[in-house]
Amino acid sequence: TSTSPPPSPPPAPPLSTAVNIKLGGMTTYDANIEEKIVSAFVAALPAAAAGATVVVRYRSFSLKSHMTFAGFTVDTFPDAKFKSKCAADLGVADGSVTITAKTATSGARRRHTRRSMLAAGVKADYDVADAGASFSAASVVGGRTTSAGSFTALAAAMGVAPTVATEAPKYGVRLEMQATGADAGAVAAMDAALSDPGFKDSLGKELTGKGVGAEVESVSSTGASPPAASSDDDDATILVYVGIGVAAVALTAATVVALGKFGMLGKFGGAKVQPEGGATAAPTKASSASKVAPSP
């Protein structure tokens, strides 16, 4: 008689988790800032997750600004028209602009007249999501927010030109990262920490300590791998660290691909690339020749 095959062993517990971080209130962004963000994240993790390796796999930028229109009230302000035409003038996808607040404004009194007032209006605070996959692209969009001449379609649709913000917008960044633990227990500790509302405060303190001016808007673990980064971003680079004894060599993602094609990754003194190309603990600063990894 035939015997049935033995049951398959249970799947191994995951050794990594996907992490989403949203930061806001930023005025600039570069590879050095991203390095500090990753370092702050690792430092904020509990002791049970010590030694975690973290790789940024994807990033996108957003911004916040405002403008004012005369002749409207909060109730008569045409939200849909504003969002659609504002997105078109800024050069972002339809649906990227959302209104976060509308405030009635009273007109300023004209000089040399008796109790005469300028037309009241509405100040619209707005967010632009997905303003760019790189900070340089997002900053181009941000530059348009302070130029009234940028909003020709919006002015035509609203029937009045907006009074735009005079100050530069505040930027936000959404990072999708792959965090790998030393074992399944470390990953479980990371997931538990990320579900704790207090982790936002811990991360905020670490960012402040490292001189990063940013507000932590949200932190979460999705438990799934984020998309791999592509090579068309000009702001940052995923760092892959290959250990040689106690030393580490930083390679760009393109270099890793090239080495892989020629079977050279295993020839660095027998060292192996760590899971997902992570660096032990927080990545150290790469040389000026290495950029931060491209994102889509």
Side-chain angles (χ1 to χ4, degrees):
T1 60
S2 60
T3 59
S4 56
S8 300
L15 293 181
S16 65
T17 188
V19 180
N20 290 330
I21 293 180
K22 289 182 67 176
L23 304 177
M26 308 179 76
T27 58
T28 188
Y29 194 94
D30 56 23
N32 183 55
I33 291 173
E34 184 166 290
E35 178 185 313
K36 291 179 179 179
I37 293 170
V38 173
S39 177
F41 173 79
V42 172
L45 291 172
T53 66
V54 177
V55 175
V56 174
R57 305 300 297 273
Y58 177 80
R59 64 188 66 77
S60 65
F61 294 85
S62 59
L63 62 85
K64 298 177 185 289
S65 190
H66 62 86
M67 63 179 75
T68 302
F69 291 87
F72 292 99
T73 67
V74 170
D75 292 333
T76 64
F77 192 83
D79 292 16
K81 186 182 295 183
F82 170 83
K83 292 185 288 186
S84 175
K85 297 304 182 182
C86 183
D89 283 334
L90 290 176
V92 297
D94 191 25
S96 295
V97 174
T98 57
I99 298 174
T100 58
K102 291 183 293 184
T103 308
T105 61
S106 58
R109 182 173 295 177
R110 290 185 178 135
R111 294 182 179 181
H112 311 303
T113 62
R114 291 191 306 169
R115 306 181 65 84
S116 178
M117 304 290 288
L118 292 175
V122 172
K123 176 189 176 187
D125 295 288
Y126 63 95
D127 284 1
V128 181
D130 299 321
S134 66
F135 182 74
S136 57
S139 62
V140 170
V141 177
R144 296 173 184 148
T145 65
T146 58
S147 172
S150 298
F151 296 101
T152 54
L154 179 60
M158 302 287 281
V160 60
T163 300
V164 298
T166 57
E167 72 279 7
K170 295 293 186 180
Y171 294 92
V173 63
R174 178 171 64 88
L175 298 176
E176 294 187 15
M177 310 189 301
Q178 190 74 11
T180 302
D183 52 37
V187 175
M190 278 192 283
D191 286 336
L194 294 173
S195 64
D196 182 350
F199 186 78
K200 285 177 56 178
D201 293 335
S202 297
L203 178 56
K205 291 177 182 177
E206 293 292 342
L207 289 171
T208 299
K210 295 180 184 300
V212 178
E215 303 164 2
V216 182
E217 296 182 354
S218 66
V219 184
S220 64
S221 170
T222 65
S225 298
S230 66
S231 58
D232 59 355
D233 187 19
D234 60 353
D235 277 328
T237 197
I238 294 174
L239 300 181
V240 178
Y241 283 73
V242 182
I244 306 177
V246 295
V249 178
L251 305 175
T252 64
T255 306
V256 172
V257 172
L259 291 175
K261 288 180 178 179
F262 291 97
M264 295 177 64
L265 282 178
K267 297 183 180 180
F268 290 95
K272 295 181 180 179
V273 178
Q274 297 179 15
E276 295 296 334
T280 305
T284 54
K285 185 172 178 63
S287 68
S288 58
S290 296
K291 298 180 68 182
V292 176
S295 62

